[in-house]
Amino acid sequence: MVGKTTIARILACRLQYSCISTDDLGAAISAVTDSITQPAFHYMGSQDFREYYVTTSQVKLIRDLNGYHEAVWPALEKLIHNHLTWSTAAIFEGWALRPAYLAQLTGDLDGLFLLADDSLIEHRIRTCPFSQRASDEGTMIKNYLARSVWYNALLRDQIKTFGL
């Protein structure tokens, strides 16, 4: 909720690049798999996303996030490699792009990561209507916020570690 998609779309439009969303890729993979063949893409089960955040511990939220990112990375890596091979410019955006993954790649590419102060992340989460109709809105926000702040810190650490 720091503006990744918005900025990626604006840049892609101005530069006349393709814009590829990791969220869309994950949704496509989820649509053609099931929880037995690809459990990392179906970590919420049949739960409504709001109830997933209400009923899931922060430790499991982070474990599910890591599993999803690890599972989607091979597909993202292949797409990035294909764009580098075809010499077609693209902007890839989304929360599944980690600095540690991009640091493994070679070629004409670069990474831009948006980080925010924890207070901005909290403000955006608390003012976004996505938690409405959760059975326990406070718990949902608390768990979603804890996972988001953890992830922002992970990105910050990886950006520093890999010099991105």
Side-chain angles (χ1 to χ4, degrees), residues 31-91:
V32 297
T33 62
D34 59 42
S35 60
I36 295 169
T37 61
Q38 292 290 333
F41 290 99
H42 301 275
Y43 57 88
M44 288 188 202
S46 60
Q47 279 184 302
D48 176 84
F49 77 93
R50 291 170 288 244
E51 294 314 299
Y52 167 76
Y53 287 101
V54 169
T55 62
T56 305
S57 72
Q58 292 173 15
V59 170
K60 185 169 180 346
L61 290 173
I62 290 169
R63 188 172 53 238
D64 289 347
L65 170 74
N66 285 328
Y68 174 83
H69 289 182
E70 289 169 10
V72 80
W73 175 245
L76 282 168
E77 184 177 25
K78 180 65 175 173
L79 279 174
I80 292 167
H81 176 75
N82 286 348
H83 277 271
L84 289 171
T85 301
W86 302 330
S87 298
T88 56
I91 292 176

Side-chain angles (χ1 to χ4, degrees), residues 100-156:
Y101 297 155
L102 291 181
Q104 302 169 20
L105 302 177
T106 59
D108 186 17
L109 65 107
D110 207 346
L112 170 67
F113 296 91
L114 298 180
L115 300 172
D117 291 332
D118 292 349
S119 60
L120 176 63
I121 293 170
E122 181 172 2
H123 172 74
R124 295 225 174 149
I125 288 170
R126 290 191 183 282
T127 59
C128 180
F130 79 111
S131 63
Q132 292 176 351
R133 294 186 306 278
S135 63
D136 183 345
E137 189 173 335
T139 298
M140 184 197 166
I141 289 172
K142 179 184 75 143
N143 287 343
Y144 191 89
L145 177 60
R147 192 212 53 190
S148 299
V149 167
W150 173 86
Y151 188 65
N152 198 52
L154 175 75
L155 287 178
R156 185 172 278 115

Side-chain angles (χ1 to χ4, degrees), residues 5 21-28 68 93-96:
T5 302
S21 168
T22 65
D23 295 344
D24 291 344
L25 180 60
Y68 174 83
E93 70 84 22
W95 70 316

